[in-house]
Amino acid sequence: MASAPPHARPRSRTPSRPSTPAKDRPFYLRSSSTIRSNSSVSSLNSLFNSATRSADDDAKSLICRAFVPHIAVHVSDDTNDLAREKGFGSFQEILRPYGEDLQGRLTVRDSQGFSNSYDDFGVRFIGLDDVAASGERWETGISRASMNGRSTTNGLGEPYVGGSIEDVEELVNLHLERNENGVDNDIPSSGDQSLYFRYLRRLLSALPSSPQETFSHPVACVIAISSRNPDPIQTLRDLYASGNQVPLPSYVNTEYLRYYILVHDEDRDDITKSMTLFDQMKKHFGLHCHLLRLRSGGRTVVTDDDAVAFPLCQWQSAAEEIATIRAKDADDMEDESPLCLPDSDATGLRTMVREMTQVSVVPFMERCIATWNDQVASRRKGISGRFLSMSKRYFGGTSSRNSTSSSSNYDPVTASYGPHTPEAQMRKLADYAFMLRDWKLAHSIYDLLRTDFNNDKAWKYHAAAQEMTVMSLVLSGSPLSYKVRQDIIEPLLDLSHYSYVSRCSAHYSGLRCLLVAVELLRTRSGGAADEAAKWAIRARDMSQLGPAGHALITERVGECYAIRDGLGSKGLGSRRRKTAMWKMLAANEWVAQNKPAQARRCLDFALPVYENSSFSAVEEFVESLKSRAGYTPLVEVDGGANRPDSEIDDYVESERLELGTKRKSVVVPPQADIELEKGDDNFVDS
C-alpha cells in the first residue's frame, strides 16, 4: 500500500461577508477541554484556515473542477446499514463530499512524462444504479434526482441529474426570493460575482451520462463490504458479478477499475480479524484495496468532544438543492441537528479518498491514455489513417444526404458509437487527458475527431468535439492572437452552438458551450475579453433562458468589458462606458423582475458614469430606474461619505482629448450632439 499522504495545505473559501463562515471545509466542533489539550494544533488549524483562497471564485478552476473523474459506488447491504446508523442514507452519501475537495496536492503525469501538481483536484462519487437510471434525459427538461443525505430517489424513484436550464433558473429565483425576504443572506453584496458563479456551477453540476462525451462515465467502481458480513469474500465476488449485470447504457464502457474497501466497525468488531480478512482481499483482488475504520456507535451529535461537521456537497444538481431548500422551508428539518462525524472517521475518509485517487484512479487513467494513444490514436495520425479518413470522406458516402457511409461505426438508430470502436476510444482518450489536465494532448485528439464525426454526420459528437477543441486550446495557454481567435475559435464555437441548437435541439449543451467559452476567454483578457463579451451576448439571446438567467448573463457581459485595461495613465481604450451600459441594462431587468436588491448592486457601478450625462433621455431613464429600485447613494466603507464628484470629473477629464492630436474623421461636430439629444430616448434600445 501507498505511504501516508503528505500534509494537506488547508484551504478556505473567501467569505462573501466578514461574518459569513467558509462552508467548503469542515469546521471542528469541540469542547473547551479538548481545545486546551490541543492548543498548538488548534492554533495552527485556525491560522491556516483563516487564509483566503480564491480558487472557488476563479472561473478557470471552477471549469476544471466541473470535468473530473466519476467513481461509481456499489456496496453491500450491511455497509449501507452502517451508514444509516450514522445518520446517512447510504455509504455513497458519506463518500460524496470528501471527493469534491481532495486533501493536499495531487500529482499527475502527462503524456510527455512531466509531473504536475494540483491543489484543486477532485472526483465525483455516484451510485452505479444511478448511472444506469440517469441516461440522456436532460434535453427534455425533466428533473431526475435524489435528495442527498435523505433518500436515494425522488418521488418517482429516479436519481437526480443536472443538465436542466429550467431547474437552474428555478433555483436562482428561489435564492433571490429568499434574499429579498431576508431569509437567505448567502448572496453577497456589491462587487462579488458569486451569484453568477452559483448559476454556472449548478449548470455544470451532476452531468448526466451522454454518448458524445465520457466525463460522467465511471472511471472506477468502489465495491465495499463491512466487517459485519458473514461471508465477505463471496460477497465481494457477488458484488463484482452483479455490477457487471447492471443495465448501463450501451455507449458506456464497463472496463473500469474496481476498488475494494473493507469498512471495519470500530465499536463492534475485532481489528485483528479485519486485518486478516484484508490480507485475504489483497491476495484475491490485488492491491487496489483499502481498510476503512469507522465508528458505529450511533449518530454523532454536535455536543460530542470529537465531533466534526459533515461537509456540504458543493456539486449537487439544481433539482437536488431545490428539494433540500424546500424541505427546510417546510419545517421538515427544524428539529434535526446537523450531520456530524467523529474526527477519526473524517480523517479516515479523507485519507482513503486521496489514496484511492492518487494511487489507483489517476495511474489507471494514465495507463489508459498511454495505451489508447499508442494503439488507436497513433494509427489514426499516421499516413494509413489519414488515407482511410479521406477515402471515407470522398468515396465512402452514399447519395442520401441524411445517411452515413457503410464503413462507418456510427449507429444512427442509437445515435452513438459502440464503446469499443476507435472513435469512442479516442473520445475517451481525449476526455481522460482533459480531466488530468493534459490540455495539449486533449486538443490534438479533439481536433482529430472533428473530421471523423463530420464524415459520419454524427452531429452531436461533432458539436461536442468542437466545443472541447476550443476549451482545451484556451486552457493550454497558447497565445490567442487575433488570427487564432478569428480563424479557429470563432468558427468552432459558432458551428458547435449551431449543431447543438439547430441540428440536435440540445439547448442545455449549447448554453454550456457558450458560457464556458466566455469564462475561459475572459481569463485571457485583452482582445479575448471583447470576444468573451460577444459570446456572452450570443448566450443572452437564447430563447430558452429564463428572466433571472438573462439578467445574470447581461450583467456578465459588463464584467467581460470591465477587465479590458486601458493604455497609459488616462486609461485610453478601456471599456468603462460599455460596462456601465450593460450594468444599467441588467439593473433594468432586475427591476422588471421585482428584484431591487440586485438592481441596486448594478447601479452602484453604473451611476458614477451616467449621473452627470448631458443626454436628457439618459438622465430620465437613470432617475426612473433609481426610483423603481429604491436606490440610495453608495456609502464608502472607509470614510462613510458618498462617492465624491471629483472621481467622476477625473474620469471625464481623462476621456477628453485634444482635438488637434486627432484626425478630423473622429472629431464630432457640435451638430452631432444636438441630433443625438433629439433622437430616440429609449436607453435600452440604444
Side-chain angles (χ1 to χ4, degrees):
M1 300 301 293
S3 59
H7 293 288
R9 188 178 68 182
R11 298 173 291 171
S12 62
R13 188 175 177 183
T14 304
S16 56
R17 296 184 181 91
S19 59
T20 303
K23 297 185 178 180
D24 283 358
R25 306 295 298 172
F27 55 89
Y28 288 82
L29 304 172
R30 301 183 185 276
S31 64
S32 58
S33 60
T34 307
I35 295 176
R36 286 193 298 268
S37 60
N38 298 301
S39 58
S40 59
V41 177
S42 302
S43 300
L44 288 176
N45 287 336
S46 61
L47 173 63
F48 286 106
N49 288 332
S50 62
T52 59
R53 184 180 183 274
S54 61
D56 289 346
D57 296 330
D58 180 68
K60 181 178 178 181
S61 177
L62 182 70
I63 293 171
C64 292
R65 294 168 61 193
F67 300 95
V68 296
H70 283 57
I71 301 175
V73 180
H74 189 51
V75 301
S76 60
D77 294 336
D78 53 276
T79 306
N80 284 329
D81 292 340
L82 177 61
R84 294 187 188 99
E85 292 179 7
K86 300 177 73 65
F88 300 90
S90 66
F91 184 69
Q92 180 255 340
E93 294 171 4
I94 299 180
L95 297 177
R96 186 179 177 187
Y98 290 102
E100 295 179 347
D101 190 8
L102 294 181
Q103 185 183 31
R105 299 180 65 88
L106 189 131
T107 303
V108 179
R109 180 172 297 180
D110 60 17
S111 58
Q112 302 298 324
F114 298 103
S115 297
N116 302 287
S117 298
Y118 306 101
D119 59 355
D120 59 349
F121 201 87
V123 295
R124 303 281 186 274
F125 287 101
I126 53 176
L128 186 60
D129 294 332
D130 295 345
V131 178
S134 63
E136 191 178 9
R137 300 295 183 91
W138 69 96
E139 301 300 354
T140 63
I142 300 176
S143 300
R144 301 169 55 92
S146 74
M147 182 176 170
N148 181 32
R150 299 296 179 272
S151 63
T152 57
T153 57
N154 59 9
L156 301 177
E158 299 170 339
Y160 277 124
V161 177
S164 173
I165 301 176
E166 293 80 6
D167 287 343
V168 180
E169 177 77 14
E170 183 180 356
L171 176 63
V172 172
N173 285 326
L174 184 59
H175 279 296
L176 290 174
E177 180 181 354
R178 291 164 58 86
N179 182 65
E180 295 288 344
N181 296 332
V183 179
D184 186 0
N185 295 323
D186 197 24
I187 299 179
S189 57
S190 175
D192 200 319
Q193 305 156 350
S194 65
L195 181 60
Y196 173 81
F197 274 104
R198 179 178 298 177
Y199 179 86
L200 182 61
R201 181 193 291 269
R202 288 295 169 260
L203 202 67
L204 299 176
S205 297
L207 300 177
S209 298
S210 58
Q212 77 273 5
E213 60 185 21
T214 64
F215 296 111
S216 57
H217 296 191
V219 174
C221 180
V222 169
I223 299 177
I225 62 170
S226 71
S227 56
R228 303 176 181 180
N229 196 286
D231 192 1
I233 300 299
Q234 184 60 38
T235 303
L236 288 172
R237 291 172 178 170
D238 294 341
L239 288 173
Y240 181 90
S242 62
N244 292 333
Q245 296 175 0
V246 173
L248 297 176
S250 59
Y251 47 80
V252 175
N253 193 343
T254 59
E255 296 178 359
Y256 41 74
L257 174 72
R258 270 73 175 182
Y259 194 84
Y260 301 89
I261 297 177
L262 173 60
V263 181
H264 170 69
D265 189 345
E266 289 278 76
D267 296 331
R268 298 184 182 179
D269 297 325
D270 185 7
I271 185 60
T272 305
K273 295 181 180 180
S274 297
M275 293 295 295
T276 304
L277 175 59
F278 183 65
D279 292 336
Q280 295 179 5
M281 288 175 54
K282 290 191 290 185
K283 292 179 181 178
H284 284 82
F285 304 106
L287 298 178
H288 299 295
C289 301
H290 189 89
L291 176 62
L292 178 62
R293 304 172 65 171
L294 298 179
R295 295 172 56 184
S296 64
R299 180 170 177 171
T300 305
V301 296
V302 177
T303 56
D304 292 344
D305 291 343
D306 59 346
V308 178
F310 187 71
L312 298 177
C313 183
Q314 300 296 324
W315 290 93
Q316 56 185 336
S317 65
E320 183 178 350
E321 187 174 356
I322 291 172
T324 305
I325 294 175
R326 286 178 174 172
K328 292 181 179 179
D329 292 344
D331 294 332
D332 292 340
M333 304 179 187
E334 59 178 353
D335 297 330
E336 187 174 354
S337 59
L339 291 175
C340 298
L341 285 175
D343 189 15
S344 58
D345 289 4
T347 303
L349 287 166
R350 284 194 295 266
T351 303
M352 186 273 295
V353 173
R354 174 183 168 78
E355 181 179 325
M356 176 178 60
T357 306
Q358 180 69 82
V359 179
S360 298
V361 175
V362 170
F364 171 77
M365 298 176 68
E366 293 172 350
R367 290 193 299 269
C368 290
I369 290 174
T371 301
W372 293 330
N373 193 23
D374 181 59
Q375 297 181 0
V376 182
S378 60
R379 297 179 182 178
R380 178 63 180 81
K381 296 177 183 178
I383 298 178
S384 59
R386 295 181 181 274
F387 178 77
L388 178 62
S389 177
M390 293 178 61
S391 63
K392 287 173 59 179
R393 179 177 181 181
Y394 294 105
F395 305 107
T398 60
S399 58
S400 176
R401 181 176 180 269
N402 296 324
S403 63
T404 57
S405 61
S406 58
S407 60
S408 172
N409 294 317
Y410 181 70
D411 185 2
V413 177
T414 60
S416 64
Y417 291 91
H420 299 289
T421 59
E423 293 85 356
Q425 289 180 333
M426 290 181 62
R427 172 68 204 211
K428 203 175 185 71
L429 161 63
D431 290 345
Y432 276 23
F434 190 92
M435 288 187 286
L436 296 185
R437 308 185 186 183
D438 191 353
W439 314 121
K440 293 184 178 179
L441 175 62
H443 175 263
S444 64
I445 302 300
Y446 287 132
D447 191 46
L448 196 63
L449 285 171
R450 291 189 301 108
T451 305
D452 294 341
F453 295 151
N454 184 44
N455 296 339
D456 294 339
K457 297 182 175 61
W459 300 125
K460 207 163 190 178
Y461 282 86
H462 186 240
Q466 293 183 116
E467 173 192 5
M468 301 309 299
T469 301
V470 173
M471 290 177 58
S472 55
L473 175 62
V474 179
L475 287 169
S476 65
S478 302
L480 298 183
S481 62
Y482 178 80
K483 181 177 179 61
V484 172
R485 298 196 304 270
Q486 295 298 316
D487 296 347
I488 299 178
I489 294 180
E490 183 173 353
L492 290 180
L493 278 179
D494 183 63
L495 289 175
S496 178
H497 184 261
Y498 172 79
S499 297
Y500 273 139
V501 175
S502 300
R503 287 171 169 169
C504 307
S505 298
H507 302 290
Y508 160 76
S509 299
L511 179 62
R512 188 191 76 175
C513 169
L514 292 182
L515 292 186
V516 170
V518 166
E519 296 308 315
L520 291 180
L521 288 173
R522 185 177 177 273
T523 59
R524 304 300 292 268
S525 67
D530 291 342
E531 298 291 331
K534 181 182 72 174
W535 292 112
I537 296 173
R538 177 83 170 266
R540 177 179 177 268
D541 294 337
M542 292 185 63
S543 59
Q544 289 73 24
L545 283 176
H550 193 274
L552 284 174
I553 297 178
T554 301
E555 190 175 344
R556 197 60 177 171
V557 176
E559 295 295 337
C560 292
Y561 283 123
I563 64 172
R564 185 67 186 268
D565 298 328
L567 300 177
S569 59
K570 301 293 184 179
L572 302 179
S574 64
R575 301 292 189 266
R576 183 177 176 86
R577 291 183 183 274
K578 282 189 175 182
T579 302
M581 183 195 74
W582 286 102
K583 290 284 188 178
M584 193 72 74
L585 293 176
N588 185 48
E589 294 186 20
W590 287 124
V591 169
Q593 300 175 42
N594 196 23
K595 302 294 188 297
Q598 301 301 313
R600 291 191 292 267
R601 184 168 56 86
C602 297
L603 289 175
D604 286 339
F605 184 92
L607 287 181
V609 178
Y610 283 108
E611 275 186 330
N612 294 338
S613 174
S614 59
F615 297 97
S616 60
V618 174
E619 289 184 355
E620 292 177 2
F621 179 82
V622 170
E623 293 300 325
S624 174
L625 193 57
K626 289 169 61 177
S627 176
R628 289 183 294 159
Y631 180 80
T632 56
L634 181 67
V635 177
E636 297 291 341
V637 177
D638 51 356
N642 296 336
R643 183 186 297 269
D645 294 336
S646 59
E647 295 185 6
I648 305 175
D649 296 339
D650 293 341
Y651 169 71
V652 175
E653 182 66 26
S654 66
E655 298 245 339
R656 187 173 296 141
L657 306 178
E658 293 293 338
L659 298 182
T661 61
K662 306 297 291 184
R663 300 190 305 272
K664 293 183 179 181
S665 59
V666 299
V667 177
V668 181
Q671 297 88 332
D673 293 338
I674 301 175
E675 293 177 0
L676 288 175
E677 292 182 1
K678 294 180 179 180
D680 187 9
D681 59 348
N682 191 347
F683 177 80
V684 179
D685 293 338
S686 64

